Amino acid sequence: MPLAISVIVAVLFVRHERNAREPALNLTLFRRAPFSVALSATLTLNLLVAGLGIVLGQFGSAILSLSPEDIGLLFLPGTLLTAGVVILAGRLVGKYTPRPVMVTGLLVMAASGLLLAGTAAPAMAVWLLVPAVWMCNLGSLVTSTSVSETVLSEAPPGHSGTVASVQMAFAMTGAAFGPTVYILLFDLFFQRRWLADAKSRGLTTHNAEQAVDAVRSGMAQNPGGSVYDPNLLRQASGLDIGLDFTDGLRLTMLTVSILPLVVATLAWLLMPRRGKPRD
């Protein structure tokens, strides 16, 4: 229902702006490639950051038995270095153009997803999560720097505030859809993996589903204890839920890593190679 209401409101807004003599937002801005690419980048970076936090929380608690505090500490290493890199990114945008900075930030975010996909394991060392988290945060901040410069440079005189609000709207949309997209993908891949696992062991879908539901119920009823017992499903039905869970995470990260690669390609092809002359 909220999504339907949002779509209706957006359609009404576009209709009003098209018919208004002095629209608050000039819709022809979306025909400009740099503006549209920049908004796609801000949608992408917020979707990836928000989604990563959700799946990292599930994987860290359900498989690695990390507490919420431990998961939160994964985001701290490299904070000062990230701040320094962001300042450098701002200088590079001013010296060159937002194009190479945006492409670099998006590629770093893609590398973060590919790194997690390649290193995730039921018994992985926790420190291996730190580079993936750090790279995702770093890439998002670097990309955001170039996005802001691009969006504001396309704003007509006297409309910078309105254009900036459009960027914020796309950012919030990405952050809202991120957890949903990640969870839908993860559930899809996780279900396929444990169904394939059950089939390889000669189990019926019904029996395997009952075993998985039993473990999920145990997780929900015992949130303070060790969340994942790798022997639980082996004793019950022979399934290895930890490996299936991890495979679902790997496939999810591989899939979402395609998005920043696509947007980076568009930025490389469509963003101007030379900056606009300043008055």
Side-chain angles (χ1 to χ4, degrees):
M1 181 62 71
L3 180 59
I5 294 176
S6 299
V7 171
I8 293 173
V9 171
V11 171
L12 292 176
F13 174 77
V14 170
R15 184 177 180 181
H16 175 270
E17 292 300 289
R18 283 182 173 179
N19 297 327
R21 291 184 177 180
E22 296 183 2
L25 175 64
N26 187 354
L27 298 180
T28 60
L29 283 174
F30 291 95
R31 299 177 184 175
R32 300 180 184 177
F35 185 77
S36 297
V37 170
L39 293 181
S40 299
T42 196
L43 180 73
T44 297
L45 71 90
N46 283 278
L47 185 148
L48 295 180
V49 170
L52 178 64
I54 294 297
V55 296
L56 187 63
Q58 290 192 349
F59 178 69
S61 60
I63 303 301
L64 302 180
S65 298
L66 298 177
S67 67
E69 292 78 10
D70 292 334
I71 296 174
L73 289 175
L74 295 174
F75 291 84
L76 289 182
T79 301
L80 294 179
L81 180 59
T82 300
V85 173
V86 170
I87 294 174
L88 176 61
R91 292 182 177 179
L92 291 176
V93 167
K95 184 176 181 179
Y96 300 102
T97 67
R99 176 174 172 260
V101 178
M102 186 181 299
V103 170
T104 300
L106 291 167
L107 291 180
V108 170
M109 297 194 75
S112 168
L114 295 175
L115 177 62
L116 184 55
T119 58
M124 69 181 296
V126 176
W127 68 266
L128 290 174
L129 293 174
V130 174
V133 173
W134 178 75
M135 289 173 65
C136 183
N137 291 337
L138 174 64
S140 67
L141 292 173
V142 170
T143 304
S144 181
T145 301
S146 59
V147 165
S148 298
E149 173 68 19
T150 302
V151 170
L152 291 178
S153 67
E154 296 292 331
H159 291 78
S160 58
T162 302
V163 172
S165 67
V166 174
Q167 177 186 346
M168 182 59 66
F170 273 75
M172 294 178 63
T173 301
F177 276 97
T180 302
V181 171
Y182 272 69
I183 290 174
L184 287 176
L185 288 173
F186 173 75
D187 285 346
L188 172 64
F189 293 131
F190 176 45
Q191 184 180 40
R192 288 186 174 182
R193 294 305 300 169
W194 67 256
L195 284 174
D197 191 7
K199 184 177 180 180
S200 68
R201 300 172 191 273
L203 299 172
T204 64
T205 301
H206 179 69
N207 290 339
E209 187 173 2
Q210 284 185 328
V212 173
D213 288 342
V215 174
R216 285 173 172 170
S217 177
M219 291 178 179
Q221 294 177 9
N222 188 27
S226 179
V227 182
Y228 169 61
D229 180 0
N231 297 314
L232 182 58
L233 276 180
R234 289 196 184 101
Q235 295 171 359
S237 60
L239 293 177
D240 189 347
I241 191 68
L243 183 58
D244 297 335
F245 195 105
T246 304
D247 285 344
L249 173 65
R250 291 172 182 159
L251 292 171
T252 299
M253 298 311 300
L254 283 174
T255 302
V256 298
S257 296
I258 296 174
L259 183 57
L261 293 176
V262 171
V263 179
T265 301
L266 292 175
W268 183 259
L269 296 175
L270 301 178
M271 296 283 291
R273 289 169 172 77
R274 296 181 180 179
K276 290 184 176 181
R278 298 181 181 273
D279 296 335

